[in-house]
């Protein structure tokens, strides 16, 4: 049979998952998917994942080599890359702090290189509970630098000293084993 195994002549059946956002793999709890929080930036809200991809507490975040791979991982979950301004707001909070936890760097709160510059290894998501923004989002400073729309890598990484891991830190566009992603999605009404 010429069409066997090729899908030719087979009707296409599309099923929308129930209880999930469009294309999402996580159930929604209110306006945002589970393990995401609503962040307000001006008059626009966005849901931001609490942890780096795959957004599971206690799991090691996945290193992501380039922006295209990062965007594809977010799309697989029905999400997208965060815009830089959304990411910065999630990190700095409503008080516009320089670090997720305050106005000045505090060594040891987040997974960063030592004060002497020795690289750290990447930690499991949420392993540094003091590295939390006002919105409750973890590991925005250090651990993995995170891809955002436009190709920037935000927040520094475990390979950078703490003063290079602020909410404004942009590591540039070169992905490494210390590059990851955190996804965003528009909240439901």
């Amino acid at each position: 049979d010429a069409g066997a195994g090729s899908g030719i002549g087979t009707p296409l059946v599309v099923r929308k998952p129930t209880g999930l956002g469009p294309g999402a793999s996580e159930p929604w709890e209110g306006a945002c998917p589970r393990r995401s929080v609503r962040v307000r930036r001006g008059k626009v809200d966005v849901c931001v994942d609490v942890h780096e991809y795959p957004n599971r507490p206690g799991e090691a975040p996945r290193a992501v080599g380039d922006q295209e791979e990062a965007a594809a991982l977010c799309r697989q979950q029905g999400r997208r890359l965060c815009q830089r301004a959304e990411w910065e707001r999630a990190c700095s909070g409503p008080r516009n702090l320089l670090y997720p936890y305050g106005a000045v760097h505090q060594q040891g709160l987040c997974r960063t290189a030592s004060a002497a510059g020795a690289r750290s290894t990447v930690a499991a998501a949420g392993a540094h509970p003091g590295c939390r923004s006002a919105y409750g989002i973890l590991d925005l400073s250090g651990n993995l630098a995170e891809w955002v729309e436009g190709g920037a890598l935000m927040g520094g990484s475990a390979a950078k000293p703490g003063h290079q891991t602020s909410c404004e830190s942009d590591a540039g566009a070169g992905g490494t084993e210390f590059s990851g992603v955190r996804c965003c999605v528009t909240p439901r009404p």
Side-chain angles (χ1 to χ4, degrees):
D1 179 347
S6 67
I8 298 173
T10 305
L12 176 64
V13 177
V14 178
R15 291 186 178 96
K16 184 175 180 181
T18 57
L20 302 177
S25 58
E26 292 282 344
W28 285 58
E29 296 174 346
C32 293
R34 188 166 60 107
R35 292 192 300 263
S36 294
V37 296
R38 194 172 193 152
V39 172
R40 179 164 288 265
R41 185 178 68 84
K43 295 181 180 181
V44 179
D45 289 354
V46 64
C47 299
V48 180
D49 287 351
V50 171
H51 303 284
E52 297 149 316
Y53 184 89
N55 196 25
R56 293 188 193 112
E59 280 192 29
R62 179 172 169 180
V64 180
D66 59 47
Q67 182 185 2
E68 292 76 27
E69 179 185 3
L73 290 170
C74 289
R75 278 192 305 273
Q76 287 173 3
Q77 294 187 339
R79 298 179 179 144
R80 60 174 172 77
L81 288 178
C82 299
Q83 297 170 6
R84 181 178 180 143
E86 293 169 338
W87 190 98
E88 287 177 341
R89 180 61 171 194
C91 185
S92 65
R95 292 181 33 216
N96 200 30
L97 300 171
L98 188 56
Y99 293 90
Y101 49 79
V104 296
H105 169 67
Q106 295 180 38
Q107 187 68 32
L109 282 184
C110 298
R111 188 63 161 206
T112 61
S114 72
R119 287 181 168 196
S120 292
T121 57
V122 174
H128 290 81
C131 192
R132 174 185 306 269
S133 78
Y135 294 107
I137 302 170
L138 297 164
D139 303 319
L140 287 158
S141 177
N143 219 25
L144 292 177
E146 300 174 14
W147 290 105
V148 296
E149 284 184 19
L153 277 166
M154 300 302 297
S157 70
K160 300 283 184 183
H163 67 279
Q164 293 179 11
T165 63
S166 75
C167 295
E168 300 171 350
S169 294
D170 178 352
T176 71
E177 71 272 19
F178 291 101
S179 308
V181 66
R182 180 182 311 266
C183 304
C184 284
V185 68
T186 302
R188 286 199 254 186

